[in-house]
Amino acid sequence: DSDIYTLNTETSELTEIRAGEEVAYNGLYFLPDGGLLTSTDAGSEFKNLVRLDPSSDETTVYTGDINWDVESYDLSPDGSTVAFTVNEGGLGTIKLLDIETGEVMDGPQLPTGIASGVTFDDTGSRVGFTFVGATSPADAWSFDVDTLELTRWTEAEVGGLDTSAFIEPEMFDYPNADGMDIPAFVYRPDTEGPHPVIISIHGGPESQSRPYFASTYQYWVNELGAAVVVPNVRGSAGYGKTYVSLDNGLNRKKSVEDIGALLDWIETQDDLDSDRVLVYGGSYGGYMVLASMVDYNDRIAGGIDIVGISDFATFLENTNGYRRDLRRAEYGDERDPEIAAFFEEISPLNNASAITKPLFIIQGANDPRVPASEAEQILEAVRSNGGEAWFLLAMDEGHGFRKKSNRDFQSEAQTLFIQDVLELDAAE
């Protein structure tokens, strides 16, 4: 929920637009006819570009036929054209809107990646934007509005590596037990398989895995010879308001079931080795790692849990107070007896005896979101059951490692663990 206002710069008077509504808005422009251009998810699964009449309740929806979220947008200096980006299944594409006719046109053709931050120049003839590709870090680009001709202005530093060896991911869907198609990306090594597999699960859970440049994925694929599969399980953002809510409260394990369905899909791929699968994730993704190792222990070779939740009840008790009510809206309120019983049932901590494969736990000692106690208690439980658990605790880090020395150490330690669990050698 967000509110929008106009400000009289002479009197400082604020006037709320559409007071009393409980919908989300993002940004606001004045149109030449006095209307207001904004984006909102009101009455839709997705965020649309709309025109609001400030003197009435009239709304004109420009992008209702695009079943994806509108993200960044900019209005041309003459108010005739809008350049905007769309999150199309994780890709960030560019489109143009003619305000007078309402016609939406495709923008320039881009490589696999994400465009953002579109901005017109002073003449309205060019649009600048940031583009990050799956095989290149973020750069400054622009295009001509009339011809759609692209210009790339910068080439980000990649440490002298040969970018032609980088792997572009394939976007695909896989079926789950409830008859849904779960979106995902796969990075396949350019060598003969079958390849070991690393499943990388995003955090949030109201987040989305997108084909940003990921040096870690490129390293795993090119240097370790592992395929990387990146799913957007139920509860992920980017696929509509219903999809992002499908793991709320008592549906928490639905997202974990989607990892089981992904394991089924891996078994159907001739170039992937279903006997050598490792799960990897941070924060909520760390919970997904632990839960997957509980539910699918016999199908997973090992897991890397980074600042992950091991028990929702203890997490809500110990996380910083400013986050507690926010997280209750997603996970459920532990003060409700039904929710409390459900937390007991699905807790990786309470089911740690099921984890018999190697586990690597990585944690910052000063984490205000997922406190270090979440890592320490699952570590103790797994080891007390005779399980193999590696542990890396950084005394000068919080929710994830930020210092280069710590990140380098984490990367080396992860590599050793992956090589050990997936039976790789340094040359592979």
Side-chain angles (χ1 to χ4, degrees):
D1 175 42
S2 55
D3 302 316
I4 49 176
Y5 298 82
T6 58
L7 169 69
N8 185 315
T9 57
E10 293 183 353
T11 66
S12 298
E13 180 184 3
L14 280 173
T15 302
E16 185 173 359
I17 308 299
R18 304 290 172 90
E21 289 185 339
E22 292 189 359
V23 298
Y25 292 100
N26 178 34
L28 199 66
Y29 286 96
F30 288 100
L31 294 171
D33 64 359
L36 300 171
L37 176 74
T38 185
S39 74
T40 178
D41 63 358
S44 173
E45 284 283 320
F46 297 95
K47 299 172 186 174
N48 288 300
L49 278 179
V50 303
R51 178 194 181 277
L52 305 180
D53 185 336
S55 62
S56 71
D57 291 333
E58 183 180 350
T59 300
T60 302
V61 180
Y62 293 116
T63 57
D65 293 335
I66 301 175
N67 290 321
W68 299 109
D69 282 334
V70 170
E71 296 188 312
S72 63
Y73 62 98
D74 193 36
L75 182 66
S76 63
D78 64 2
S80 66
T81 308
V82 182
F84 63 99
T85 61
V86 179
N87 179 349
E88 295 192 45
L91 302 179
T93 62
I94 298 177
K95 296 186 182 294
L96 296 168
L97 165 68
D98 185 307
I99 287 290
E100 183 177 355
T101 65
E103 181 184 4
V104 174
M105 299 154 284
D106 288 334
Q109 291 293 313
L110 297 168
T112 301
I114 300 155
S116 63
V118 286
T119 307
F120 279 96
D121 69 4
D122 291 342
T123 68
S125 63
R126 293 186 303 169
V127 173
F129 61 97
T130 299
F131 182 79
V132 55
T135 61
S136 64
D139 281 305
W141 292 60
S142 68
F143 70 93
D144 183 280
V145 173
D146 290 331
T147 66
L148 303 184
E149 181 181 356
L150 284 164
T151 301
R152 179 177 177 175
W153 294 96
T154 64
E155 290 193 16
E157 171 64 44
V158 292
L161 297 174
D162 179 8
T163 58
S164 67
F166 292 165
I167 301 296
E168 283 202 357
E170 305 165 28
M171 187 165 55
F172 72 100
D173 296 328
Y174 64 91
N176 68 9
D178 292 328
M180 300 176 64
D181 290 326
I182 304 302
F185 295 91
V186 57
Y187 298 72
R188 300 178 188 268
D190 192 20
T191 55
E192 186 176 350
H195 305 289
V197 180
I198 299 173
I199 299 175
S200 180
I201 311 170
H202 69 69
E206 316 95 327
S207 184
Q208 182 185 22
S209 290
R210 305 181 67 179
Y212 292 105
F213 178 72
S215 58
T216 299
Y217 293 170
Q218 297 295 338
Y219 176 76
W220 289 343
V221 174
N222 281 296
E223 301 300 326
L224 300 185
V228 181
V229 184
V230 190
N232 281 305
V233 297
R234 278 174 283 186
S236 300
Y239 305 95
K241 290 190 289 191
T242 297
Y243 194 84
V244 80
S245 70
L246 290 179
D247 66 341
N248 287 2
L250 297 174
N251 289 322
R252 182 58 44 205
K253 290 301 284 290
K254 292 295 184 181
S255 58
V256 184
E257 291 174 11
D258 290 344
I259 300 301
L262 180 55
L263 294 172
D264 294 338
W265 177 84
I266 290 171
E267 289 182 350
T268 69
Q269 304 300 299
D270 292 339
D271 64 330
L272 303 181
D273 187 348
S274 61
D275 291 328
R276 292 191 293 165
V277 178
L278 181 143
V279 284
Y280 171 96
S283 194
Y284 177 78
Y287 159 74
M288 289 289 289
V289 166
L290 297 174
S292 298
M293 293 186 70
V294 168
D295 290 357
Y296 308 108
N297 181 72
D298 59 334
R299 305 174 67 186
I300 291 174
I304 299 177
D305 158 30
I306 304 170
V307 298
I309 300 166
S310 60
D311 182 278
F312 285 113
T314 58
F315 160 71
L316 288 170
E317 178 182 353
N318 295 316
T319 191
N320 264 15
Y322 75 94
R323 290 179 50 80
R324 195 166 291 121
D325 284 337
L326 172 68
R327 293 295 82 199
R328 282 171 175 158
E330 167 67 34
Y331 301 133
D333 192 331
E334 79 286 1
R335 296 167 297 185
D336 180 327
E338 183 181 18
I339 295 294
F342 182 64
F343 283 169
E344 282 286 316
E345 176 188 343
I346 70 170
S347 166
L349 179 64
N350 294 342
N351 295 280
S353 60
I355 300 176
T356 64
K357 302 298 177 59
L359 173 66
F360 191 2
I361 303 165
I362 300 171
Q363 180 68 44
N366 307 313
D367 192 338
R369 298 186 183 186
V370 181
S373 54
E374 290 296 303
E376 291 162 349
Q377 64 190 14
I378 193 67
L379 173 70
E380 180 181 358
V382 171
R383 285 181 173 174
S384 66
N385 290 321
E388 179 184 350
W390 297 27
F391 187 46
L392 174 58
L393 180 68
M395 302 306 296
D396 55 352
E397 294 285 5
H399 194 64
F401 290 8
R402 296 292 180 267
K403 298 180 179 180
K404 185 178 185 303
S405 59
N406 293 334
R407 294 176 68 88
D408 288 347
F409 191 97
Q410 176 186 346
S411 178
E412 292 296 322
Q414 284 180 176
T415 298
L416 291 173
F417 182 82
I418 291 169
Q419 289 174 331
D420 184 58
V421 169
L422 298 183
E423 301 175 359
L424 305 174
D425 57 43
E428 187 175 352

Short mmCIF file of all heavy atoms in Angstrom, two decimals, residues 194-197 199 262-278 296 298-301 357 422:
data_model
loop_
_atom_site.label_atom_id
_atom_site.label_comp_id
_atom_site.label_asym_id
_atom_site.label_seq_id
_atom_site.Cartn_x
_atom_site.Cartn_y
_atom_site.Cartn_z
N PRO A 194 27.08 -36.44 -18.30
CA PRO A 194 26.17 -35.71 -17.40
C PRO A 194 26.92 -34.89 -16.35
O PRO A 194 27.93 -35.33 -15.81
CB PRO A 194 25.34 -36.81 -16.76
CG PRO A 194 26.21 -38.02 -16.80
CD PRO A 194 27.04 -37.90 -18.03
N HIS A 195 26.40 -33.69 -16.08
CA HIS A 195 27.04 -32.75 -15.19
C HIS A 195 26.40 -32.79 -13.80
O HIS A 195 25.18 -32.95 -13.67
CB HIS A 195 26.90 -31.33 -15.73
CG HIS A 195 27.40 -31.16 -17.13
ND1 HIS A 195 28.74 -31.20 -17.44
CD2 HIS A 195 26.74 -30.98 -18.30
CE1 HIS A 195 28.89 -31.03 -18.75
NE2 HIS A 195 27.69 -30.90 -19.29
N PRO A 196 27.21 -32.60 -12.77
CA PRO A 196 26.62 -32.39 -11.45
C PRO A 196 25.81 -31.10 -11.46
O PRO A 196 26.01 -30.24 -12.33
CB PRO A 196 27.83 -32.29 -10.52
CG PRO A 196 28.95 -31.84 -11.41
CD PRO A 196 28.68 -32.46 -12.75
N VAL A 197 24.91 -30.96 -10.50
CA VAL A 197 23.96 -29.85 -10.53
C VAL A 197 23.99 -29.10 -9.20
O VAL A 197 24.01 -29.71 -8.12
CB VAL A 197 22.52 -30.36 -10.79
CG1 VAL A 197 21.54 -29.19 -10.81
CG2 VAL A 197 22.45 -31.15 -12.09
N ILE A 199 21.54 -26.41 -7.38
CA ILE A 199 20.26 -25.70 -7.38
C ILE A 199 20.42 -24.48 -6.48
O ILE A 199 20.65 -24.63 -5.27
CB ILE A 199 19.11 -26.58 -6.87
CG1 ILE A 199 18.93 -27.81 -7.77
CG2 ILE A 199 17.81 -25.79 -6.79
CD1 ILE A 199 17.87 -28.79 -7.26
N LEU A 262 11.51 -30.09 -9.07
CA LEU A 262 12.70 -29.78 -9.85
C LEU A 262 13.65 -30.97 -9.88
O LEU A 262 14.28 -31.26 -10.92
CB LEU A 262 13.40 -28.55 -9.27
CG LEU A 262 14.68 -28.10 -9.99
CD1 LEU A 262 14.44 -27.86 -11.46
CD2 LEU A 262 15.24 -26.83 -9.32
N LEU A 263 13.76 -31.68 -8.77
CA LEU A 263 14.58 -32.91 -8.75
C LEU A 263 14.03 -33.93 -9.74
O LEU A 263 14.80 -34.63 -10.41
CB LEU A 263 14.62 -33.49 -7.34
CG LEU A 263 15.34 -32.64 -6.28
CD1 LEU A 263 15.12 -33.24 -4.89
CD2 LEU A 263 16.82 -32.51 -6.59
N ASP A 264 12.69 -34.01 -9.86
CA ASP A 264 12.08 -34.89 -10.86
C ASP A 264 12.49 -34.47 -12.27
O ASP A 264 12.81 -35.33 -13.11
CB ASP A 264 10.55 -34.85 -10.75
CG ASP A 264 10.03 -35.42 -9.44
OD1 ASP A 264 10.76 -36.21 -8.80
OD2 ASP A 264 8.88 -35.09 -9.07
N TRP A 265 12.47 -33.16 -12.52
CA TRP A 265 12.85 -32.66 -13.85
C TRP A 265 14.30 -32.97 -14.16
O TRP A 265 14.63 -33.37 -15.28
CB TRP A 265 12.60 -31.15 -13.92
CG TRP A 265 13.00 -30.53 -15.22
CD1 TRP A 265 12.28 -30.47 -16.37
CD2 TRP A 265 14.27 -29.90 -15.51
NE1 TRP A 265 13.00 -29.83 -17.35
CE2 TRP A 265 14.22 -29.47 -16.85
CE3 TRP A 265 15.42 -29.66 -14.76
CZ2 TRP A 265 15.29 -28.82 -17.46
CZ3 TRP A 265 16.49 -29.02 -15.36
CH2 TRP A 265 16.42 -28.60 -16.70
N ILE A 266 15.18 -32.80 -13.18
CA ILE A 266 16.60 -33.08 -13.39
C ILE A 266 16.80 -34.53 -13.81
O ILE A 266 17.64 -34.84 -14.68
CB ILE A 266 17.40 -32.76 -12.11
CG1 ILE A 266 17.44 -31.23 -11.89
CG2 ILE A 266 18.81 -33.33 -12.17
CD1 ILE A 266 18.02 -30.82 -10.55
N GLU A 267 16.01 -35.44 -13.26
CA GLU A 267 16.13 -36.86 -13.61
C GLU A 267 15.80 -37.12 -15.07
O GLU A 267 16.22 -38.13 -15.63
CB GLU A 267 15.22 -37.70 -12.72
CG GLU A 267 15.70 -37.80 -11.27
CD GLU A 267 14.81 -38.68 -10.41
OE1 GLU A 267 13.71 -39.05 -10.90
OE2 GLU A 267 15.19 -38.99 -9.28
N THR A 268 15.03 -36.22 -15.70
CA THR A 268 14.65 -36.41 -17.11
C THR A 268 15.69 -35.85 -18.08
O THR A 268 15.54 -36.03 -19.29
CB THR A 268 13.29 -35.74 -17.40
OG1 THR A 268 13.43 -34.30 -17.33
CG2 THR A 268 12.23 -36.19 -16.40
N GLN A 269 16.71 -35.15 -17.56
CA GLN A 269 17.69 -34.49 -18.42
C GLN A 269 18.94 -35.35 -18.59
O GLN A 269 19.64 -35.64 -17.62
CB GLN A 269 18.08 -33.13 -17.82
CG GLN A 269 16.90 -32.21 -17.57
CD GLN A 269 16.14 -31.87 -18.83
OE1 GLN A 269 16.71 -31.29 -19.77
NE2 GLN A 269 14.87 -32.23 -18.88
N ASP A 270 19.20 -35.76 -19.82
CA ASP A 270 20.33 -36.66 -20.08
C ASP A 270 21.67 -36.05 -19.72
O ASP A 270 22.62 -36.78 -19.39
CB ASP A 270 20.34 -37.08 -21.56
CG ASP A 270 19.15 -37.96 -21.92
OD1 ASP A 270 18.57 -38.57 -21.00
OD2 ASP A 270 18.79 -38.02 -23.12
N ASP A 271 21.79 -34.72 -19.80
CA ASP A 271 23.08 -34.08 -19.55
C ASP A 271 23.28 -33.68 -18.09
O ASP A 271 24.29 -33.08 -17.74
CB ASP A 271 23.26 -32.86 -20.44
CG ASP A 271 22.25 -31.76 -20.14
OD1 ASP A 271 21.13 -32.09 -19.71
OD2 ASP A 271 22.58 -30.58 -20.35
N LEU A 272 22.31 -34.02 -17.22
CA LEU A 272 22.42 -33.69 -15.80
C LEU A 272 22.47 -34.96 -14.97
O LEU A 272 21.76 -35.93 -15.26
CB LEU A 272 21.23 -32.82 -15.36
CG LEU A 272 21.02 -31.51 -16.14
CD1 LEU A 272 19.84 -30.75 -15.57
CD2 LEU A 272 22.28 -30.66 -16.14
N ASP A 273 23.30 -34.94 -13.93
CA ASP A 273 23.51 -36.11 -13.08
C ASP A 273 22.65 -35.98 -11.83
O ASP A 273 22.99 -35.25 -10.90
CB ASP A 273 24.99 -36.22 -12.71
CG ASP A 273 25.32 -37.51 -11.96
OD1 ASP A 273 24.39 -38.21 -11.53
OD2 ASP A 273 26.53 -37.79 -11.80
N SER A 274 21.54 -36.69 -11.79
CA SER A 274 20.61 -36.58 -10.66
C SER A 274 21.16 -37.19 -9.38
O SER A 274 20.58 -36.97 -8.30
CB SER A 274 19.27 -37.25 -11.01
OG SER A 274 19.45 -38.62 -11.30
N ASP A 275 22.26 -37.91 -9.46
CA ASP A 275 22.89 -38.48 -8.26
C ASP A 275 23.86 -37.50 -7.61
O ASP A 275 24.37 -37.77 -6.52
CB ASP A 275 23.63 -39.77 -8.61
CG ASP A 275 22.69 -40.90 -8.98
OD1 ASP A 275 21.57 -40.93 -8.43
OD2 ASP A 275 23.06 -41.73 -9.84
N ARG A 276 24.15 -36.38 -8.28
CA ARG A 276 25.07 -35.39 -7.74
C ARG A 276 24.41 -34.01 -7.79
O ARG A 276 24.69 -33.20 -8.68
CB ARG A 276 26.39 -35.39 -8.50
CG ARG A 276 27.22 -36.65 -8.32
CD ARG A 276 28.62 -36.47 -8.90
NE ARG A 276 28.60 -36.33 -10.35
CZ ARG A 276 29.64 -35.89 -11.07
NH1 ARG A 276 30.77 -35.52 -10.47
NH2 ARG A 276 29.55 -35.81 -12.38
N VAL A 277 23.48 -33.78 -6.87
CA VAL A 277 22.75 -32.52 -6.81
C VAL A 277 23.01 -31.87 -5.46
O VAL A 277 22.83 -32.50 -4.41
CB VAL A 277 21.24 -32.73 -7.02
CG1 VAL A 277 20.49 -31.39 -6.89
CG2 VAL A 277 20.96 -33.37 -8.37
N LEU A 278 23.41 -30.60 -5.47
CA LEU A 278 23.64 -29.83 -4.25
C LEU A 278 22.68 -28.65 -4.24
O LEU A 278 22.45 -28.01 -5.27
CB LEU A 278 25.09 -29.35 -4.22
CG LEU A 278 25.55 -28.54 -3.00
CD1 LEU A 278 26.99 -28.91 -2.64
CD2 LEU A 278 25.48 -27.03 -3.30
N TYR A 296 14.00 -34.29 1.07
CA TYR A 296 14.55 -35.01 -0.08
C TYR A 296 15.99 -35.45 0.18
O TYR A 296 16.83 -35.44 -0.72
CB TYR A 296 14.47 -34.13 -1.33
CG TYR A 296 13.08 -33.57 -1.56
CD1 TYR A 296 12.80 -32.22 -1.34
CD2 TYR A 296 12.03 -34.40 -1.95
CE1 TYR A 296 11.52 -31.72 -1.52
CE2 TYR A 296 10.75 -33.91 -2.13
CZ TYR A 296 10.50 -32.56 -1.91
OH TYR A 296 9.23 -32.07 -2.07
N ASP A 298 17.41 -38.24 0.50
CA ASP A 298 17.94 -39.35 -0.28
C ASP A 298 18.23 -38.96 -1.72
O ASP A 298 18.85 -39.72 -2.47
CB ASP A 298 16.96 -40.53 -0.26
CG ASP A 298 15.59 -40.17 -0.82
OD1 ASP A 298 15.21 -38.98 -0.75
OD2 ASP A 298 14.88 -41.08 -1.30
N ARG A 299 17.83 -37.75 -2.14
CA ARG A 299 18.00 -37.32 -3.53
C ARG A 299 18.98 -36.16 -3.65
O ARG A 299 19.23 -35.68 -4.76
CB ARG A 299 16.65 -36.93 -4.13
CG ARG A 299 15.60 -38.02 -4.01
CD ARG A 299 14.24 -37.55 -4.49
NE ARG A 299 14.21 -37.29 -5.92
CZ ARG A 299 13.17 -36.75 -6.55
NH1 ARG A 299 12.09 -36.41 -5.87
NH2 ARG A 299 13.21 -36.55 -7.85
N ILE A 300 19.50 -35.69 -2.52
CA ILE A 300 20.39 -34.53 -2.52
C ILE A 300 21.74 -34.94 -1.93
O ILE A 300 21.80 -35.61 -0.90
CB ILE A 300 19.77 -33.38 -1.71
CG1 ILE A 300 18.54 -32.83 -2.44
CG2 ILE A 300 20.77 -32.27 -1.45
CD1 ILE A 300 17.76 -31.81 -1.66
N ALA A 301 22.84 -34.52 -2.60
CA ALA A 301 24.17 -34.91 -2.14
C ALA A 301 24.67 -34.04 -1.00
O ALA A 301 25.50 -34.46 -0.19
CB ALA A 301 25.15 -34.84 -3.31
N LYS A 357 23.18 -35.94 4.84
CA LYS A 357 24.16 -35.57 3.83
C LYS A 357 24.94 -34.34 4.31
O LYS A 357 24.48 -33.60 5.17
CB LYS A 357 23.47 -35.27 2.50
CG LYS A 357 22.65 -36.43 1.97
CD LYS A 357 23.51 -37.65 1.68
CE LYS A 357 22.67 -38.83 1.21
NZ LYS A 357 21.91 -38.56 -0.01
N LEU A 422 30.31 -33.08 -4.52
CA LEU A 422 29.95 -33.49 -5.87
C LEU A 422 31.04 -34.32 -6.53
O LEU A 422 30.96 -34.62 -7.73
CB LEU A 422 29.64 -32.26 -6.72
CG LEU A 422 28.45 -31.42 -6.26
CD1 LEU A 422 28.20 -30.27 -7.23
CD2 LEU A 422 27.20 -32.28 -6.12
#
